[in-house]
């Protein structure tokens, strides 16, 4: 089903409903839009953080400790 067909089908269904039920569908659509936008924003932030070079200095930091510094070693 195409996007346009889905829209037309939904509008037809909404037109057959009483006002309070149509308002519920409108509220649900607002909720779905909000969740979609939040997911897009979260994904964009994650992409920016992944491309960022802010924490690159941590990769260049020397190791201060090694396994030789451990007093007890666990096999697990």
């Amino acid at each position: 089903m195409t996007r346009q067909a889905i829209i037309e089908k939904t509008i037809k269904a909404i037109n057959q409903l009483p006002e309070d039920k149509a308002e519920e569908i409108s509220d649900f659509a607002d909720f779905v839009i909000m969740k979609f936008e939040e997911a897009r924003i979260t994904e964009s932030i994650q992409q920016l953080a992944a491309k960022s070079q802010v924490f690159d200095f941590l990769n260049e930091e020397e190791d201060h400790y090694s396994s030789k510094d451990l007093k007890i070693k666990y096999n697990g």
Side-chain angles (χ1 to χ4, degrees):
M1 188 179 290
T2 66
R3 185 177 199 274
Q4 188 60 36
I6 294 168
I7 292 169
E8 290 172 8
K9 179 181 174 186
T10 305
I11 290 172
K12 184 177 178 181
I14 292 171
N15 285 329
Q16 295 174 359
L17 294 172
E19 186 175 338
D20 62 324
K21 297 299 179 186
E23 189 172 348
E24 285 182 35
I25 293 173
S26 176
D27 291 343
F28 180 69
D30 290 342
F31 171 77
V32 171
I33 290 169
M34 181 187 66
K35 288 296 185 182
F36 176 72
E37 289 175 349
E38 285 177 1
R40 282 183 33 194
I41 289 171
T42 300
E43 183 179 321
S44 295
I45 290 171
Q46 289 172 343
Q47 288 176 357
L48 283 173
K51 293 177 184 176
S52 174
Q53 297 176 353
V54 173
F55 296 106
D56 282 354
F57 70 93
L58 295 173
N59 295 330
E60 299 166 4
E61 187 175 26
E62 66 181 72
D63 292 331
H64 295 287
Y65 301 102
S66 71
S67 59
K68 295 176 184 177
D69 296 313
L70 296 174
K71 293 182 180 180
I72 300 174
K73 295 183 182 181
Y74 293 96
N75 294 329

